[in-house]
Amino acid sequence: MDSDSQPFIELTTADRSNTFRIDPNKIESLTKIICAGLGVESFELSWDFVDDADMQSLNRQYRDKNSTTDVLSFPQQEWAEPLEFIAPTWPLTDPTEGDDDGPPELLGDVVISPSVALQNARNIGHGLDREVCFLLVHGILHLCGHDHLEPVEENRMTKEQQAIMGYLEAIDGAPLWTHCARLEV
């Protein structure tokens, strides 16, 4: 993705009550940092933001649940053990630099509903941008073998989420997720 020329992604709810503005440059930057810390920076990952109707349709099709949800992940890799986050060193290097071995392996896809993210953020008491970043982290961890069906898995995933969010908050003196997503008024 050419980060200098990407416009904002705007998504309006079906009832036109909310319009969300997503900064693809910030989302891409967050994705690169998260993937570098998980050791999958050379893998290809896609992310998308969808409205509730599309999220409900995806959730019904792939999880047999006829409701919307905040984030869905579609992994393309299987891991013997869930990957662990290790704070990457700066500056990040381009994992494809000098690499002529063909296309990267696919890590998977993460799909986020900003509308549900907003509900979550309001319920928890923090900003939409932080919640969108958290959902991105959560989705990428699913792509890297994490799950939360069993208490042991949930504890492990929660620790990884906290480590990544803490890193993203402290890396540059201010949270890196600031203004990655916002509600237009």
Side-chain angles (χ1 to χ4, degrees):
M1 216 183 248
D2 180 5
S3 62
D4 295 332
S5 64
Q6 293 296 318
F8 285 93
I9 299 167
E10 286 196 9
L11 194 69
T12 303
T13 55
D15 65 1
R16 301 208 157 297
S17 61
N18 289 319
T19 298
F20 299 95
R21 192 167 185 172
I22 311 297
D23 184 340
N25 298 328
K26 288 210 173 212
I27 298 296
E28 189 67 20
S29 177
L30 290 166
T31 299
K32 286 180 180 179
I33 294 166
I34 296 163
C35 287
L38 290 165
V40 292
E41 64 272 21
S42 64
F43 285 74
E44 184 176 309
L45 176 150
S46 72
W47 46 260
D48 198 6
F49 292 84
V50 300
D51 62 22
D52 283 340
D54 288 340
M55 187 61 102
Q56 181 175 352
S57 177
L58 289 168
N59 205 20
R60 182 177 49 245
Q61 181 178 356
Y62 293 102
R63 296 181 63 225
D64 204 25
K65 294 186 178 191
N66 193 24
S67 60
T68 190
T69 190
D70 50 10
V71 62
L72 290 172
S73 297
F74 301 95
Q76 297 294 313
Q77 300 291 322
E78 289 190 33
W79 307 97
E81 287 290 319
L83 303 181
E84 292 184 23
F85 183 81
I86 299 170
T89 57
W90 286 92
L92 294 180
T93 56
D94 183 354
T96 60
E97 206 170 274
D99 184 11
D100 291 332
D101 293 337
E105 288 187 82
L106 298 177
L107 186 60
D109 306 297
V110 175
V111 182
I112 297 172
S113 166
S115 183
V116 178
L118 178 62
Q119 292 171 13
N120 293 352
R122 287 177 172 164
N123 290 338
I124 297 167
H126 60 241
L128 173 64
D129 51 357
R130 185 191 186 285
E131 181 65 12
V132 164
C133 180
F134 174 81
L135 294 174
L136 183 65
V137 167
H138 185 88
I140 292 172
L141 284 172
H142 274 300
L143 299 183
C144 294
H146 287 269
D147 214 334
H148 45 79
L149 297 175
E150 301 294 328
V152 169
E153 295 172 329
E154 184 176 15
N155 288 340
R156 186 177 196 172
M157 189 170 187
T158 298
K159 284 182 184 178
E160 290 300 311
Q161 290 171 157
Q162 290 170 342
I164 295 169
M165 292 299 287
Y167 179 77
L168 294 173
E169 188 168 19
I171 194 171
D172 205 20
L176 291 183
W177 60 74
T178 303
H179 304 300
C180 71
R182 67 179 188 259
L183 180 63
E184 290 293 295
V185 287

